[in-house]
Amino acid sequence: MTNSTVPAKQTSQRVIRHAEYYIHGGDVVFRVENTLFRVHRYFFTRDSPFFRDKLPYPLPPGEHAKGFSDNSPFDLEDVLHVDFERFLWVFYNPKYSLYKANIGEWTSILKLAHQWQFVEVKSLAVRELERLDIPPLQKIVVYHKYAIDRNLLQVAYTALTTRDGPITIEEGQELGLEIALQLARARELTRAPPGGEKSGHPQSLLSVGGAGLDVLIRDLFQLSSSEKVPGCHASPTPARDKATHINGVNSNSTTGQGRGGWHSNQGC
């Protein structure tokens, strides 16, 4: 799988019909880069407020239709051909409920679902990503970028906090200033010697572990606690919007963490 960037302008390449997703029974034609996709508008107007606004049907009197023919396609700008192809697979998967894809493919689907407000497709992408073994740095970057529930990142935050090597400049650039600083603070706190003095050695042995580490990560990154640890009294999480949690999609959710969360039977 290759990674590429969206060209600044539509090239003069010959426009072609997609081999699989130019469906003659379809009723809307999209152009992505130099490829035409003919699919069913039903999926788009049913699931996405973005497309319900962009693809009104029937058209208001006097308006010209976009997407009704190859000569007048609906252009999807700032979208990669490969991403749109992967996104359509969700609706036209011949395996029905069997959705087997890798991290890059689900990330493509998540990207467009987030961009176009396909809530259920976004929920599916998050659910499937949670089944995969995603490197901690990559998971944090992706989940922050597409507004996924941060409670699902507790294990990833912990992994970068407790690893021997510090956060590199390149990693900090990927993470962004806020998260990089939070991780640096977490690494400092987990290595502080008893009494609160600074160790001066960012790679020194951890001074916090088990349930205490769990509480520290939740407090520092403002995560919800899925269960109370006996004998521990963590600072309350700041009040947040009580939005509905849908499989980890809503970043303001106050539900518990996702699959693989950090659990410990140790005391504080």
Side-chain angles (χ1 to χ4, degrees), residues 3-267:
N3 292 324
S4 55
T5 56
V6 179
K9 295 181 179 179
Q10 191 81 331
T11 68
S12 58
Q13 290 179 303
R14 182 173 63 91
V15 175
I16 61 174
R17 292 177 174 180
H18 192 273
E20 183 176 0
Y21 295 123
Y22 189 94
I23 302 170
H24 289 285
D27 56 359
V28 62
V29 178
F30 292 110
R31 179 167 58 193
V32 182
E33 296 182 293
N34 70 318
T35 303
L36 295 177
F37 297 80
R38 187 183 182 98
V39 291
H40 298 89
R41 73 170 53 229
Y42 168 76
F43 298 118
F44 292 82
T45 56
R46 179 192 68 179
D47 295 345
S48 166
F50 174 87
F51 281 106
R52 280 198 292 274
D53 179 60
K54 298 294 184 180
L55 296 173
Y57 187 81
L59 287 169
E63 287 198 12
H64 298 287
K66 279 286 186 183
F68 277 82
S69 71
D70 290 9
N71 293 327
S72 183
F74 189 102
D75 286 309
L76 295 175
E77 300 179 354
D78 299 325
V79 176
L80 295 175
H81 163 277
V82 65
D83 288 340
F84 192 58
E85 184 179 86
R86 291 168 175 174
F87 184 79
L88 290 176
W89 169 75
V90 172
F91 303 109
Y92 295 104
N93 176 18
K95 300 291 185 181
Y96 298 105
S97 62
L98 299 178
Y99 288 96
K100 187 175 181 180
N102 60 34
I103 296 170
E105 290 163 344
W106 281 119
T107 301
S108 289
I109 295 166
L110 174 64
K111 172 186 175 182
L112 295 185
H114 176 75
Q115 179 176 329
W116 295 329
Q117 301 171 286
F118 281 82
V119 174
E120 292 301 324
V121 177
K122 186 175 181 180
S123 175
L124 170 67
V126 172
R127 186 166 64 248
E128 294 301 321
L129 283 169
E130 283 295 292
R131 299 175 186 270
L132 303 176
D133 186 16
I134 309 174
L137 178 74
Q138 182 182 1
K139 186 169 185 176
I140 292 170
V141 171
V142 169
Y143 279 38
H144 276 265
K145 184 174 184 179
Y146 300 119
I148 306 304
D149 185 357
R150 294 191 183 189
N151 291 297
L152 298 175
L153 291 174
Q154 181 161 345
V155 172
Y157 291 141
T158 302
L160 292 187
T161 297
T162 59
R163 77 177 191 186
D164 289 339
I167 304 300
T168 66
I169 293 175
E170 293 75 17
E171 289 174 332
Q173 290 172 338
E174 284 192 69
L175 291 164
L177 180 61
E178 178 186 354
I179 301 304
L181 289 176
Q182 284 179 307
L183 285 167
R185 178 60 175 159
R187 292 177 59 80
E188 178 184 359
L189 291 174
T190 54
R191 288 161 176 79
E197 301 95 351
K198 292 185 178 180
S199 66
H201 299 284
Q203 297 187 47
S204 59
L205 295 176
L206 297 176
S207 60
V208 179
L213 176 61
D214 190 19
V215 171
L216 185 150
I217 294 295
R218 288 202 305 267
D219 285 353
L220 188 59
F221 291 95
Q222 299 183 4
L223 308 179
S224 299
S225 176
S226 59
E227 60 184 28
K228 293 183 179 179
V229 180
C232 295
H233 300 283
S235 300
T237 302
R240 290 188 272 175
D241 181 36
K242 296 181 180 178
T244 302
H245 176 276
I246 305 176
N247 288 319
V249 168
N250 196 313
S251 62
N252 289 329
S253 169
T254 56
T255 61
Q257 65 201 43
R259 180 185 68 83
W262 182 284
H263 296 285
S264 172
N265 293 325
Q266 302 179 47

